[in-house]
């Protein structure tokens, strides 16, 4: 039995590391809870319309971080409605109260020791981009258009 402990510890660590990849990250809007893995389907059911939503998560240690400010500037230049994007704010310094946001623990989990991170997640929950640098509006548009074309989706 003692010989199994190293193997079991490795398995447990693997499960803990891969868990967010399988279940996604929780985020909120008002009283509603969503998952980055299923947000497109959840919001489609909520509104009674079939969306193909791409989720952009912007995580940061503090909202005054220059990369956080620049990322939101980039997002403001995109036609989010036309591309069917939703933006999720994920801050360690304070929990959101408006729009889509994560809690503080989820922000820490997404950052994984970094100060700043951007996730671009497809309508099917696939991570299209995971970056510790600002992702430009043009890059996001390319990711979404490439994913939609490969998946035969028309937002």
């Amino acid at each position: 039995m003692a010989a199994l402990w190293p193997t079991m510890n490795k398995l447990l660590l693997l499960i803990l590391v891969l868990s967010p990849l399988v279940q996604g990250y929780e985020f909120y809007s008002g009283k509603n809870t969503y998952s980055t893995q299923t947000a497109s389907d959840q919001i489609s059911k909520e509104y009674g319309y079939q969306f193909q939503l791409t989720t952009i998560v912007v995580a940061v240690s503090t909202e005054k971080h220059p990369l956080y400010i620049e990322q939101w500037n980039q997002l403001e230049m995109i036609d989010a409605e036309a591309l069917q994007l939703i933006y999720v704010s994920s801050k360690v310094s304070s929990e959101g109260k408006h729009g889509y946001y994560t809690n503080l623990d989820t922000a820490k989990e997404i950052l994984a020791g970094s100060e700043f991170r951007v996730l671009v997640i497809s309508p099917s929950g696939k991570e299209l981009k995971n970056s510790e640098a600002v992702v430009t509006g043009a890059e996001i548009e390319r990711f979404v258009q490439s994913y939609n074309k490969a998946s035969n989706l028309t937002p």
Side-chain angles (χ1 to χ4, degrees), residues 116-128:
F116 174 81
R117 185 176 308 276
V118 178
L119 304 175
V120 180
I121 302 169
S122 76
S124 66
K126 179 182 178 189
E127 190 175 279
L128 302 176

Side-chain angles (χ1 to χ4, degrees), residues 8 29 31 43 54 128 131 144:
M8 290 175 65
S29 180
K31 295 179 182 179
I43 294 170
T54 299
L128 302 176
S131 177
V144 171

Side-chain angles (χ1 to χ4, degrees), residues 44-102:
S44 292
K45 286 178 187 167
E46 190 176 312
Y47 286 91
Y49 180 83
Q50 187 57 47
F51 293 107
Q52 296 299 326
L53 297 172
T54 299
T55 304
I56 312 296
V57 181
V58 183
V60 70
S61 55
T62 174
E63 63 189 287
K64 295 186 189 295
H65 196 289
L67 293 176
Y68 183 77
I69 294 166
E70 175 57 25
Q71 185 63 63
W72 284 103
N73 288 337
Q74 288 292 318
L75 296 176
E76 287 176 3
M77 291 189 267
I78 302 172
D79 186 347
E81 188 174 341
L83 288 173
Q84 293 193 17
L85 304 176
I86 59 170
Y87 303 144
V88 179
S89 179
S90 185
K91 300 179 286 189
V92 172
S93 59
S94 64
E95 195 166 292
K97 293 181 179 147
H98 306 287
Y100 296 107
Y101 57 89
T102 70

